Amino acid sequence: MAVRLVTGNRIAETSSKGNQEKWLEHDRWYKLDLFGYEGLAETVTSQLLQQSNIEELGFRYVTYCMERMNVHQRIRNGCSSPNFLMPGESILTLADLFRKGVGPDWQSVVARQPNLAGKVRWMVEQTIRLTELKQFGNYLTLLFEVDMLFGNEDRHLNNIAVLRRGEEFDYCPIFDFGAGLLSNVRDYPMDIEPRSHMKLLRAQPLNTTFTRQVRAVRSLYGPQLQWTFMVAEVTAALEEPLKFYAERDRAYIADRIKTCIHWQAAKL
């Protein structure tokens, strides 16, 4: 569960992965790398999603770009993204939506569901009841498929959200890909073969394998995500972001990312 600690105009977001500083300036959000190359993961993922059917399905995603920033008297890598909120809009996470609309014991209600598909169905039905977003099952399926494709294991219920405008709701652009592509070199060191790491990944919010999570949601709402990029497009997307990182690490990072996408795409 995320906790926001505000000091001045900076926010330190606490999640299952740790504290990552971010702040809003000139209508853009800036985030610092925390455990590895999160900025690169955000940037490459959003570039590759340009070659997908997300917009054809009627949904959106956040675009990220690499940044080098002078923070705390140090030069740091990270990324930035546009502030997608329109005047009068706010983000309401599913964790807050369920807390307000179902009650403080909503997690125990989810836990009583008989299986993974039952948990997914409950989350979707409650979201539709509270927001009237009738295609939320398709949206959630798409989100889980994107996370599986890029190995993003930090999709807790504070990273799934809807947009609120007064008493009306809309679908939130898909955001926060930084925990994907084996970016956390603390948990997944670069001196270990990438396929060994891939076997350890766990999907959120159901805390299971990506395959089981996607299978559960697809059993209810069918497949959603399609993409056209291949190895050449992944290589091209990596070219500029890799320049932000030490030259000695670039080949290792590129290999990890290509292995991750190839491995996950084959299973997806």
Side-chain angles (χ1 to χ4, degrees):
M1 187 176 298
V3 178
R4 285 156 49 107
L5 308 174
V6 180
T7 304
N9 64 345
R10 284 185 168 80
I11 299 173
E13 276 203 333
T14 301
S15 75
S16 60
K17 295 298 174 184
N19 297 336
Q20 184 177 31
E21 282 191 279
K22 70 176 186 178
W23 63 94
L24 182 64
E25 187 173 346
H26 303 306
D27 214 32
R28 291 189 70 84
W29 281 102
Y30 293 81
K31 293 198 293 186
L32 296 178
D33 282 0
L34 180 61
F35 295 129
Y37 51 87
E38 293 92 338
L40 183 146
E42 301 268 29
T43 300
V44 170
T45 298
S46 65
Q47 285 187 20
L48 294 176
L49 288 179
Q50 294 176 18
Q51 301 172 64
S52 75
N53 66 332
I54 290 179
E55 293 183 346
E56 295 173 20
L57 293 173
F59 304 119
R60 296 178 291 158
Y61 58 92
V62 175
T63 57
Y64 295 85
C65 66
M66 291 296 305
E67 299 283 356
R68 184 163 280 143
M69 295 165 275
N70 190 337
V71 181
H72 307 313
Q73 300 180 339
R74 290 178 55 200
I75 302 300
R76 299 277 299 276
N77 286 333
C79 64
S80 70
S81 59
N83 178 21
F84 56 79
L85 291 176
M86 302 296 289
E89 285 186 339
S90 60
I91 292 177
L92 183 62
T93 68
L94 256 60
D96 285 337
L97 180 70
F98 295 157
R99 191 178 300 114
K100 296 174 181 178
V102 177
D105 64 339
W106 66 270
Q107 290 174 306
S108 63
V109 178
V110 177
R112 291 197 296 268
Q113 302 307 308
N115 50 39
L116 294 179
K119 291 178 172 62
V120 170
R121 183 184 294 108
W122 185 91
M123 289 191 291
V124 169
E125 289 178 350
Q126 292 302 316
T127 302
I128 293 174
R129 178 179 69 85
L130 295 167
T131 67
E132 298 186 358
L133 295 175
K134 302 299 185 184
Q135 300 301 312
F136 192 78
N138 296 347
Y139 173 86
L140 191 65
T141 303
L142 176 67
L143 181 59
F144 286 176
E145 290 170 329
V146 169
D147 286 338
M148 179 172 177
L149 180 59
F150 297 102
N152 179 19
E153 60 175 359
D154 198 33
R155 187 65 65 189
H156 48 79
L157 290 185
N158 283 292
N159 275 345
I160 306 175
V162 295
L163 297 180
R164 183 168 189 170
R165 306 186 195 101
E167 297 304 314
E168 297 183 349
F169 296 88
D170 200 356
Y171 299 97
C172 186
I174 298 173
F175 64 97
D176 203 344
F177 316 118
L181 301 176
L182 296 176
S183 68
N184 186 335
V185 300
R186 181 194 66 171
D187 290 349
Y188 305 114
M190 284 199 287
D191 58 351
I192 296 177
E193 204 276 331
R195 285 185 175 82
S196 298
H197 292 319
M198 299 302 299
K199 298 174 183 178
L200 302 177
L201 294 180
R202 301 286 289 181
Q204 300 296 334
L206 299 183
N207 190 28
T208 185
T209 65
F210 283 104
T211 300
R212 292 188 66 202
Q213 179 163 286
V214 167
R215 184 181 297 137
V217 71
R218 279 180 168 179
S219 72
L220 299 170
Y221 309 105
Q224 303 294 318
L225 179 65
Q226 298 176 13
W227 65 91
T228 59
F229 60 82
M230 300 182 71
V231 175
E233 287 76 17
V234 176
T235 301
L238 282 166
E239 184 176 356
E240 286 298 321
L242 280 174
K243 295 177 182 178
F244 283 74
Y245 297 88
E247 187 172 358
R248 67 177 184 275
D249 295 332
R250 293 172 191 172
Y252 293 102
I253 294 173
D255 179 59
R256 285 158 66 93
I257 288 174
K258 291 176 184 179
T259 299
C260 178
I261 294 175
H262 176 77
W263 180 288
Q264 295 297 96
K267 292 190 293 184
L268 186 59

